[in-house]
Amino acid sequence: LSELKILKSKLNPHLLFNTLNNIDALIQISPEKASQALSKLSDILRYVVYETEDGKVSIKKEIDNLQKYIALEKMRIVHPNSVEFINKVSDETTIPPMLFFPFVENAFKHSNLNNPDDRLNILIIEDKNKIVFSCSNTINEYKRNDAASGMGLELAKKRLDLLFPSTHILNISKLDNKFIVNLEIQLV
């Protein structure tokens, strides 16, 4: 029961439900792809429930799980090539877990990546004692009337304020039809 509470507090339950539905549909079409997707989902759930209990994880482990999450999300979109992920992290720097997930999750939630003109670009760079994260997505013109909308981003902001009180810069903006998140964290 406590593991389920941990999971719910760290990962949007919609990811789990949507992914399970996608895997269910894949079983008929491509059992091999369904098996691969199920393995990725299992890895992410294991990471969220067990490996994030420590205060820090290696940035490589965080990115590996983020890439698995992106792969699962790409399963449900018509144009998976509209998602670009650039990773320029080479060190074994440790960071608090699940730092980037809320921003990437939000980008998928508010994009329409089934439109061939829409894009989602994610970039993570490690440079000396600094991590730079950028996520920009085309905004879906269809407006959601979601009472919980924006809660994930607000919680992410508060968490960053607690974890890096004076060593981070977070800029979130809307420009034309793009939603842009830029995060810079100084590592001490």
Side-chain angles (χ1 to χ4, degrees):
L1 185 60
S2 65
E3 290 172 354
L4 288 175
K5 286 182 182 178
I6 292 167
L7 178 63
K8 194 172 180 183
S9 72
K10 292 184 180 176
L11 195 63
N12 187 333
H14 295 289
L15 165 72
L16 182 59
F17 299 132
N18 289 339
T19 303
L20 288 172
N21 286 332
N22 291 337
I23 292 170
D24 183 47
L26 260 182
I27 289 171
Q28 299 297 318
I29 301 165
S30 174
E32 186 178 320
K33 285 185 180 178
S35 178
Q36 292 168 359
L38 199 53
S39 178
K40 284 181 177 124
L41 179 61
S42 176
D43 289 346
I44 291 171
L45 294 175
R46 188 175 299 105
Y47 176 70
V48 169
V49 172
Y50 297 115
E51 296 183 43
T52 62
E53 284 303 295
D54 297 332
K56 300 238 179 178
V57 296
S58 88
I59 193 166
K60 285 186 176 184
K61 188 175 279 191
E62 177 82 353
I63 289 171
D64 181 49
N65 281 283
L66 191 58
Q67 287 175 312
K68 288 174 185 174
Y69 169 73
I70 291 166
L72 289 174
E73 285 286 353
K74 287 170 84 172
M75 280 181 9
R76 68 180 181 83
I77 59 179
V78 176
H79 303 284
N81 292 335
S82 64
V83 179
E84 179 184 48
F85 181 81
I86 298 172
N87 169 20
K88 299 209 179 209
V89 173
S90 59
D91 264 349
E92 282 298 319
T93 300
T94 58
I95 60 169
M98 306 295 286
L99 270 186
F100 311 117
F101 272 79
F103 303 114
V104 174
E105 199 174 4
N106 186 70
F108 274 104
K109 180 179 177 183
H110 295 288
S111 296
N112 179 11
L113 297 169
N114 290 321
N115 178 345
D117 297 327
D118 286 0
R119 295 278 179 263
L120 170 54
N121 298 301
I122 304 159
L123 169 71
I124 301 176
I125 299 172
E126 184 178 9
D127 183 31
K128 298 179 183 158
N129 289 331
K130 179 171 61 174
I131 295 172
V132 177
F133 169 82
S134 175
C135 183
S136 67
N137 62 282
T138 311
I139 299 170
N140 186 353
E141 291 180 20
Y142 170 75
K143 301 287 183 194
R144 295 175 188 227
N145 191 8
D146 187 355
S149 187
M151 284 294 295
L153 290 181
E154 284 305 312
L155 290 173
K157 287 179 193 177
K158 287 179 184 177
R159 185 168 181 238
L160 285 166
D161 286 342
L162 289 170
L163 293 170
F164 306 101
S166 59
T167 58
H168 83 282
I169 300 169
L170 176 65
N171 290 312
I172 298 176
S173 60
K174 288 182 185 177
L175 181 61
D176 298 326
N177 69 337
K178 285 196 176 223
F179 189 83
I180 304 160
V181 174
N182 288 307
L183 171 63
E184 194 174 296
I185 299 171
Q186 292 287 48
L187 302 171
V188 275

